[in-house]
Amino acid sequence: MINAHRPVGGLEFSPESNLIAVGTDSIRMWDIGSGSVACEISGGSSAAPDVALRSDGLLATAGGEDGTVRLWQSHTGEQIAVLPAHDGNILAIAFSPRGDVLATAGSGDKTVRLWAIPGQRLLTELPHHEPILDLAFSPDQSVLVTCGAEPTVRIWDLHEGKMRIPIAPHRRWVGAVAFSPDGRFLATGGDDGHVRVRDFPGLSICRELEAVPYGVRGIAYSPDGEFFVAVGPGVGPQVWTASGSGQSAGLPSRTGIVMAAAFSPDGKILATTDADSIVLWEAGTWAKMRTLSDHKGWAVRLSFSADGALLASGSNDGMIRLWRTATGALVATLIPLQHGGWATLLPDLSYKIAGDPKESFWWAAKLCRFNVGELDSYDSRVRRIPNSELL
């Protein structure tokens, strides 16, 4: 049995290594080869921190009420800098495509701030009227698009540090923005359930799509830029051509609770959440490949490994599950322990652990509860294996 932990606030594979960053109460860098934690670092507050990873291993973390962003070397856990980024919670964080600018969005001061990396120097501050919920750099890094708890989407010129033009594409707040990989299209998704696609940089509306009844929670373009998917509660994933000129598929959902979507790096697989399950679809035909069912809470985060062989799913039950995309097999369940440390459970009931599980998890047999380690001598399947052993 596993006791509920803080929800997964951030989940991201490192682009050029076998590490995955997980934000719950702290940041844990899991080594996927062994299923062990390479290093554990403070998230800076009690809230589940968000994470952003740069290809060279630089890790940015943000979360909670202290308003700080911390920069780390992900392989060692060495802290490089603490940025006094904002007043209040930080709601969004992202590296630019070239990795030389970090964007952070604060709720209390209602600003986006851009930081030079390296150097950690504040470049500019972009004011807003309401908290910012999402942001996106254009692929050529010429502009930053921001949206939040208002109908307006703002387009910022990064060379001049000024707003080009505000656009008001939605009737209520706007929760998701995304550029197509070639930068030709900008899609925005709002609480009104609509997705609007504009050409870029002209910003004329190509299409207005009725996508998700109860508000768009995420938009993701395929790597080749041919399709994008919009997700949110009330309906299955909605897939459209890049310009929105035609709906490619309205995918079915068992529950209508679809909170996240991600394409594999080669664009051949679309992964979407469906309450406590994850569904894999064959991109292009949109045939269902398989359903991955093991979470106890809603799955809210998805991330593919750089080679696409693994999919990580994070849930509001605080756990992370690793799946093989080719077979759908569960590789391991990663458990951040509530009082520091970690545990990894394998499908054959063997496990790894570092730290005191306390009330985080235990074994249950009928009506009996056993602490970690108590069953090892009675059931050969329940055995502790070395933390260095490969999965």
Side-chain angles (χ1 to χ4, degrees):
M1 299 291 292
I2 302 172
N3 197 24
H5 196 66
R6 290 189 179 92
V8 176
L11 180 67
E12 188 172 346
F13 271 99
S14 178
E16 295 185 356
S17 74
N18 63 341
L19 296 177
I20 183 171
V22 177
T24 49
D25 57 340
S26 63
I27 305 295
R28 293 168 176 86
M29 298 299 302
W30 297 81
D31 183 303
I32 301 308
S34 65
S36 301
V37 168
C39 60
E40 182 175 349
I41 53 185
S42 170
S45 76
S46 60
D50 200 358
V51 299
L53 272 167
R54 203 170 66 169
S55 60
D56 64 354
L58 184 66
L59 169 69
T61 69
E65 299 178 355
D66 62 3
T68 60
V69 170
R70 288 168 168 79
L71 299 178
W72 314 82
Q73 282 294 344
S74 60
H75 295 80
T76 64
E78 177 189 358
Q79 182 171 287
I80 298 172
V82 178
L83 307 179
H86 295 278
D87 297 329
N89 292 347
I90 297 175
L91 301 180
I93 181 172
F95 282 106
S96 64
R98 292 194 296 269
D100 58 345
V101 176
L102 178 68
T104 62
S107 62
D109 50 34
K110 301 174 185 177
T111 65
V112 169
R113 289 177 176 152
L114 302 180
W115 306 84
I117 306 296
Q120 292 66 258
R121 175 174 55 88
L122 179 63
L123 295 173
T124 189
E125 180 177 287
L126 311 176
H128 294 68
H129 298 305
E130 299 294 340
I132 302 93
L133 300 177
D134 198 12
L135 50 83
F137 286 94
S138 62
D140 65 1
Q141 202 168 307
S142 63
V143 304
L144 177 72
V145 178
T146 59
C147 66
E150 58 179 336
T152 302
V153 174
R154 289 173 166 79
I155 314 293
W156 303 89
D157 187 311
L158 295 185
H159 297 301
E160 298 183 2
K162 298 179 180 178
M163 184 167 58
R164 280 190 181 180
I165 183 173
I167 54 177
H170 297 274
R171 291 189 291 273
R172 296 191 292 272
W173 56 258
V174 186
V177 293
F179 278 97
S180 61
D182 60 7
R184 292 179 55 207
F185 301 104
L186 171 66
T188 62
D191 189 44
D192 56 9
H194 288 208
V195 171
R196 288 171 173 82
V197 181
R198 295 173 181 266
D199 72 348
F200 192 82
L203 297 178
S204 60
I205 294 179
C206 301
R207 291 291 186 277
E208 180 176 342
L209 313 170
E210 295 184 12
V212 180
Y214 301 111
V216 178
R217 296 295 186 269
I219 298 173
Y221 273 92
S222 60
D224 61 7
E226 187 174 354
F227 304 103
F228 75 86
V229 60
V231 297
V235 70
Q238 303 298 299
V239 183
W240 309 82
T241 58
S243 67
S245 59
Q247 185 170 20
S248 182
L251 306 180
S253 168
R254 176 176 58 88
T255 66
I257 304 171
V258 184
M259 306 303 290
F263 282 94
S264 61
D266 62 6
K268 295 181 179 180
I269 299 174
L270 169 66
T272 61
T273 63
D274 194 347
D276 56 356
S277 302
I278 296 95
V279 184
L280 302 184
W281 311 88
E282 183 180 54
T285 68
W286 311 116
K288 182 185 290 188
M289 300 170 64
R290 55 187 59 91
T291 299
L292 313 177
S293 301
D294 199 50
H295 280 292
K296 308 306 177 186
W298 288 2
V300 294
R301 295 275 187 165
L302 296 170
S303 182
F304 280 95
S305 60
D307 61 5
L310 294 175
L311 173 69
S313 58
S315 168
N316 62 7
D317 63 9
M319 289 177 285
I320 303 91
R321 285 168 171 80
L322 291 178
W323 314 86
R324 296 199 188 281
T325 55
T327 63
L330 178 65
V331 177
T333 299
L334 312 180
I335 307 170
L337 300 181
Q338 296 184 22
H339 303 281
W342 54 271
T344 299
L345 302 185
L346 304 184
D348 64 0
L349 299 184
S350 62
Y351 66 96
K352 303 180 179 186
I353 188 168
D356 188 346
K358 296 186 184 294
E359 297 300 311
S360 294
F361 79 95
W362 59 91
W363 303 114
K366 295 185 178 180
L367 297 179
C368 297
R369 169 175 166 165
F370 300 89
N371 291 327
V372 173
E374 289 186 336
L375 280 179
D376 292 29
S377 59
Y378 299 100
D379 190 329
S380 60
R381 299 172 301 168
V382 182
R383 59 190 178 90
R384 182 172 180 174
I385 59 178
N387 292 346
S388 59
E389 184 174 312
L390 298 180
L391 297 182

